[in-house]
Amino acid sequence: MKEITDPFQPEFWRAYQKRFQRPEDEIFLQPDLWDRMAESYDDLEESPFYREMVETVVAEMERIGALSPGLSLLDLCCGTGTYTVRFAPRVKRVVALDVSAGMLAMLRQKIKVRGFENVETVQADWRSWEPGESFDTVFVSLTPILNDLEQVERILSVTRRYLVLVHWAGLRENELFLEILRRFFQASPRRRSPGAVVLFNYLFSRGFPAEVRFFCGMWERRRPVEKELERVLFRLRGEGYSVNEGVRERIRTFLEERSREGRVLSRTRVRIALLLADLKREALVFGKK
């Protein structure tokens, strides 16, 4: 097959993104993983940086018209509904989809407490789900689904007008995890996709130039030792490492030594991008078929 060298063609970016895909990435898409994380997932809202980012994303969506009373919205891979509960008062209808029953259970509690009647929750794997409709606005945030441009193409197919993506943008560096990799495996994290940079260029090549805004900062979480150990082991699996019982216990001891009052401080430097695309704007010439 002839190599595609023209970056103005979507096929160029599909081929580029495939270079970063690994079989172990599938674990990040399994429901049992997210079920275990559901109870502590909202800890992120204790971070001022994270809260400010979320509120800014909502404000930017309102600015461009992606949130307004007459619109339907799909919150794809919604998790515990951090954004869902902010969208619900601002649109006519929200469909909140996630693969994890645990995440959706947390969201349903929030819906009940707030008395929302315009939110429908759906437990399904987006990769096989058939919505049977399209939505005025589709929102997707910080999910591995966005690393698969074939799935992004499916997302475009159900978006009537506004597509809003929040994704990693080349920096996600956890100090504690880096030290564990160096100490126990004499290794560094594997090279990953530029994330939002690829998404921007893919949408551009499809004729949909997106507005972009970056958020740079630090996430801080304090987790019980066992919860942090579970998170570390999960990340190691994603890096392709198999951890035997001996190494597991050594990592647990390391975390216990780092803990204060039974909790471990985990700090992650991040750069995240917000992409906002109005698909009804006139497409770029090279993006037309």
Side-chain angles (χ1 to χ4, degrees), residues 158-223:
V158 300
T159 307
R160 277 202 293 268
R161 181 161 187 179
Y162 299 104
L163 177 62
V164 181
L165 308 176
V166 178
H167 202 34
W168 307 108
L171 177 63
R172 186 184 181 188
E173 186 176 86
N174 183 273
E175 300 168 348
L176 191 65
F177 186 69
L178 289 176
E179 185 169 351
I180 288 171
L181 275 180
R182 288 193 295 264
R183 178 176 295 220
F184 298 102
F185 300 92
Q186 295 76 52
S188 300
R190 69 178 171 91
R191 185 168 174 248
R192 294 186 181 275
S193 163
V197 177
V198 174
L199 290 176
F200 174 84
N201 284 300
Y202 182 71
L203 291 175
F204 196 88
S205 71
R206 289 277 280 103
F208 304 122
E211 293 185 42
V212 184
R213 175 162 183 170
F214 291 96
F215 304 92
C216 301
M218 182 78 72
W219 286 357
E220 292 191 356
R221 283 176 163 176
R222 293 184 183 274
R223 299 184 182 93

Side-chain angles (χ1 to χ4, degrees), residues 56-279:
T56 301
V57 168
V58 173
E60 288 293 291
M61 291 175 68
E62 287 187 309
R63 177 184 62 81
I64 69 167
L67 297 176
S68 63
L71 301 185
S72 62
L73 184 147
L74 173 62
D75 188 352
L76 181 58
C77 303
C78 63
T80 60
T82 297
Y83 286 96
T84 305
V85 297
R86 290 167 168 86
F87 294 155
R90 294 173 165 88
V91 299
K92 181 178 181 180
R93 172 173 170 257
V94 179
V95 174
L97 178 141
D98 202 275
V99 73
S100 165
M103 291 285 186
L104 289 176
M106 300 292 290
L107 170 55
R108 290 183 185 114
Q109 291 178 18
K110 297 177 184 179
I111 292 170
K112 183 177 180 180
V113 168
R114 291 166 174 79
F116 293 141
E117 297 181 353
N118 64 335
V119 180
E120 175 188 353
T121 59
V122 178
Q123 184 187 350
D125 187 330
W126 160 255
R127 296 172 295 176
S128 58
W129 184 58
E130 297 294 339
E133 62 177 308
S134 59
F135 302 86
D136 298 304
T137 298
V138 176
F139 176 82
V140 197
S141 174
L142 298 179
T143 168
I145 289 290
L146 292 175
N147 293 326
D148 184 343
L149 294 181
E150 292 181 5
Q151 298 307 319
V152 173
E153 195 61 33
R154 287 194 72 225
I155 292 168
L156 282 168
S157 74
V158 300
T159 307
R160 277 202 293 268
R161 181 161 187 179
Y162 299 104
L163 177 62
V164 181
L165 308 176
V166 178
H167 202 34
W168 307 108
L171 177 63
R172 186 184 181 188
E173 186 176 86
N174 183 273
E175 300 168 348
L176 191 65
F177 186 69
L178 289 176
E179 185 169 351
I180 288 171
L181 275 180
R182 288 193 295 264
R183 178 176 295 220
F184 298 102
F185 300 92
Q186 295 76 52
S188 300
R190 69 178 171 91
R191 185 168 174 248
R192 294 186 181 275
S193 163
V197 177
V198 174
L199 290 176
F200 174 84
N201 284 300
Y202 182 71
L203 291 175
F204 196 88
S205 71
R206 289 277 280 103
F208 304 122
E211 293 185 42
V212 184
R213 175 162 183 170
F214 291 96
F215 304 92
C216 301
M218 182 78 72
W219 286 357
E220 292 191 356
R221 283 176 163 176
R222 293 184 183 274
R223 299 184 182 93
V225 170
E226 287 302 316
K227 284 290 184 182
E228 185 62 28
L229 176 62
E230 183 178 13
R231 187 197 69 84
V232 168
L233 294 175
F234 156 65
R235 288 287 305 277
L236 288 170
R237 286 173 59 197
E239 292 287 328
Y241 294 101
S242 177
V243 180
N244 61 37
E245 190 61 30
V247 174
R248 179 190 179 100
E249 289 307 308
R250 288 167 58 201
I251 294 174
R252 176 186 277 111
T253 299
F254 169 78
L255 294 175
E256 288 173 346
E257 292 172 350
R258 291 299 185 92
S259 68
R260 296 291 182 273
E261 299 179 352
R263 302 180 78 85
V264 182
L265 173 63
S266 177
R267 305 173 77 243
T268 307
R269 293 175 58 234
V270 299
R271 183 186 303 112
I272 297 169
L274 165 65
L275 281 68
L276 307 113
D278 182 348
L279 306 189

